[in-house]
Amino acid sequence: MTPTLARAPAVPEPPPEHPWVQQHRVHRNAYLDEQLFAEELNQIFHRTWIYVGHESEVARPGDYKTTVIGRQPVIVTRDGTGGIHVLMNRCTHRAATVCQAASGNSAFFRCEYHGWTFRNNGELVAPTFSAGYDPADFTAAGFALARAPRVDSYRGLIFASLAPGGESLREHLGRAAEYIDLTVDLAPAGTIRLGAGAHRYSYRGNWKLQSENGVDGYHPNFVHRAFFETSGLGAGLFGPGSTGRAGSLGRGHAVLDFRTMMAPMMRTRLATDDGQRALERLTERLGDRERATEVLLANGTQGYNLLVFPNLQIIGCQLRVIHPRAVGLTEVDLYPYLHDGAGDEENTARLRTHEAFYGPSGGGGPDDIEMFDRVVRGLAVEGVEWLPLVRGLRREVVDGEARWGHITDEQPQRGFYHRWLQLMGASR
């Protein structure tokens, strides 16, 4: 049940403060400092669960894709028995990467430096010219590709952690899993897939700018005003009168939930013959008419923007992955996803909708990149040191570990930095 906005009885006890991240404000150096960026990679990207791919990208034995965890190159593979591995893309001999392609299918990876060959589960087949290696000094088993200690998936989303211990993936996802379920349950077959291609953009700015922005409901009326005016959608979705909510879900995850604003349109669709047939099919699959109605009214991520801390966003019909390359350089991969069990017409319409706003010439994505550029230039100003995150602070609704506010409030950003402080505290 959606809680009514009201004043929270008290602001919760914050985690220990950092010199550049405090309770409700962020210092400009948090976006600019090289040493802090290195600490973020070590304390966040190398310790928590990081999204690395989708099961549909490695659907067949031998399939693989390359990506990064932080700045460390990895290979996501499916071996001959169907097992999924996340291997470090580094030859155990002299450190060259063993896989150069973005994706493909192969039972082996061969390092072109000295010819060492590895199976797609990471095992070293044998070194080349093996007579030069004495058993007293060398065994093939000791030189397998390094691997992420923990790999797990949820609803097809594959995550890896470079830390050997810690909370499970399900514990890490917490309440973000509720929104992932809404996303995937909408597909007629109960699964989504990647495979429609992807596009990438980069900007000369810190990775946190994108993580913050994807769940910022304050900016659309201003940054994307031209799109709202020309599309006929109207700006009420993110206006002062919106009934939408901004939420911090705990563990750094956050959401812009505007399902209440979309509900009238979705109920109209649901009342049609096609809508009723869709409801019956989904009720049969889920075994729960009330849940089926909830899923259809949400219409996947047409009803919310989700941030899975630290760098996965599920927005529109895309999985957006944020890659920190340097303190002042970020790459972002956008993967439109399709619905298994849906017809070509429906999936094509999803792609066209995605392109219209988030594509390279879309009505929204380029606007955000321009704002990142302006922020970076503004951060060069000395003497104005702090960026405040206090909007809606005194009208929060507390719901377990979640905190809710108006869709234009800054609960998502405060929750993001609350988790940031928890993880970065070990470096101080």
Side-chain angles (χ1 to χ4, degrees):
M1 186 174 185
T2 302
T4 303
L5 288 177
R7 291 182 182 273
V11 177
E13 187 69 23
E17 292 185 344
H18 185 283
W20 293 335
V21 176
Q22 297 182 4
Q23 289 186 42
H24 311 121
R25 62 180 189 169
V26 181
H27 195 279
R28 68 186 186 91
N29 282 341
Y31 304 94
L32 302 174
D33 187 78
E34 293 275 3
Q35 181 178 346
L36 182 68
F37 176 74
E39 291 177 1
E40 287 177 331
L41 292 179
N42 182 54
Q43 298 298 117
I44 298 175
F45 284 85
H46 299 167
R47 295 191 179 218
T48 191
W49 289 96
I50 301 296
Y51 172 81
V52 293
H54 191 270
E55 289 179 3
S56 62
E57 295 180 278
V58 288
R60 303 169 301 160
D63 281 354
Y64 68 85
K65 68 166 288 187
T66 55
T67 184
V68 291
I69 297 178
R71 289 191 295 186
Q72 297 193 43
V74 299
I75 316 167
V76 183
T77 73
R78 189 182 290 272
D79 66 23
T81 67
I84 294 177
H85 309 271
V86 177
L87 309 173
M88 308 310 292
N89 194 359
R90 177 207 187 276
C91 182
T92 48
H93 177 225
R94 297 277 284 278
T97 52
V98 300
C99 183
Q100 317 311 317
S103 62
N105 184 282
S106 178
F108 301 94
F109 301 109
R110 179 181 173 88
C111 176
E112 299 301 331
Y113 196 3
H114 297 97
W116 284 26
T117 301
F118 302 85
R119 294 185 176 88
N120 62 9
N121 64 3
E123 295 175 353
L124 174 63
V125 176
T128 49
F129 306 156
S130 57
Y133 290 94
D134 191 287
D137 305 316
F138 179 91
T139 61
F143 286 86
L145 293 177
R147 64 180 62 225
R150 294 188 294 159
V151 178
D152 201 355
S153 65
Y154 184 79
R155 302 302 301 267
L157 306 177
I158 305 170
F159 294 80
S161 174
L162 299 184
E167 63 184 6
S168 68
L169 174 60
R170 189 60 183 81
E171 289 171 328
H172 166 73
L173 291 176
R175 294 183 65 170
E178 301 171 18
Y179 289 88
I180 296 173
D181 289 341
L182 281 172
T183 300
V184 180
D185 280 346
L186 182 63
T191 54
I192 62 173
R193 72 178 187 276
L194 275 56
H199 64 267
R200 170 180 293 171
Y201 60 81
S202 63
Y203 62 90
R204 295 199 172 276
N206 191 264
W207 67 276
K208 296 188 292 295
L209 295 176
Q210 180 69 85
S211 290
E212 296 171 18
N213 183 77
V215 282
D216 175 69
Y218 196 12
H219 79 277
N221 271 350
F222 308 100
V223 177
H224 306 311
R225 180 173 57 187
F227 176 81
F228 285 132
E229 290 177 349
T230 58
S231 67
L233 293 176
L237 197 64
F238 299 100
S242 173
T243 59
R245 303 185 298 164
S248 166
L249 301 175
R251 291 177 168 80
H253 313 312
V255 68
L256 295 180
D257 190 336
F258 36 88
R259 286 178 288 170
T260 56
M261 296 293 288
M262 303 293 289
M265 178 179 68
M266 296 312 302
R267 288 190 184 279
T268 298
R269 291 184 185 178
L270 199 57
T272 66
D273 290 342
D274 285 344
Q276 286 299 299
R277 283 191 290 269
L279 176 59
E280 294 304 323
R281 288 193 298 268
L282 193 56
T283 298
E284 182 178 359
R285 180 165 64 79
L286 298 179
D288 185 332
R289 190 178 186 86
E290 183 176 346
R291 172 62 178 176
T293 301
E294 179 186 18
V295 169
L296 289 170
L297 290 178
N299 193 28
T301 44
Q302 302 301 315
Y304 46 87
N305 292 3
L306 177 68
L307 166 68
V308 180
F309 184 90
N311 73 325
L312 171 65
Q313 294 177 340
I314 306 179
I315 297 176
C317 56
Q318 67 176 278
L319 304 181
R320 178 188 296 180
V321 190
I322 304 162
H323 299 295
R325 294 300 194 182
V327 65
L329 178 63
T330 305
E331 291 180 352
V332 185
D333 295 334
L334 278 63
Y335 299 90
Y337 63 83
L338 304 177
H339 280 168
D340 282 335
D344 290 343
E345 183 177 352
E346 178 183 331
N347 278 326
T348 298
R350 295 174 63 79
L351 293 178
R352 299 295 86 82
T353 300
H354 166 79
E355 292 164 353
F357 191 80
Y358 296 104
S361 59
D367 297 340
D368 291 330
I369 299 172
E370 172 64 22
M371 288 302 116
F372 299 158
D373 181 65
R374 296 185 188 188
V375 169
V376 170
R377 282 184 282 149
L379 288 172
V381 173
E382 299 179 4
V384 185
E385 302 297 313
W386 293 94
L387 291 73
L389 298 173
V390 297
R391 181 171 177 80
L393 178 64
R394 304 298 170 181
R395 59 179 181 184
E396 290 184 332
V397 170
V398 181
D399 176 20
E401 64 178 340
R403 304 184 72 82
W404 296 96
H406 187 265
I407 199 164
T408 62
D409 289 348
E410 292 172 327
Q411 277 79 11
Q413 292 71 35
R414 289 193 291 271
F416 176 92
Y417 282 106
H418 190 280
R419 184 59 170 164
W420 187 97
L421 282 166
Q422 289 175 330
L423 295 175
M424 291 292 287
S427 68
R428 291 282 160 177

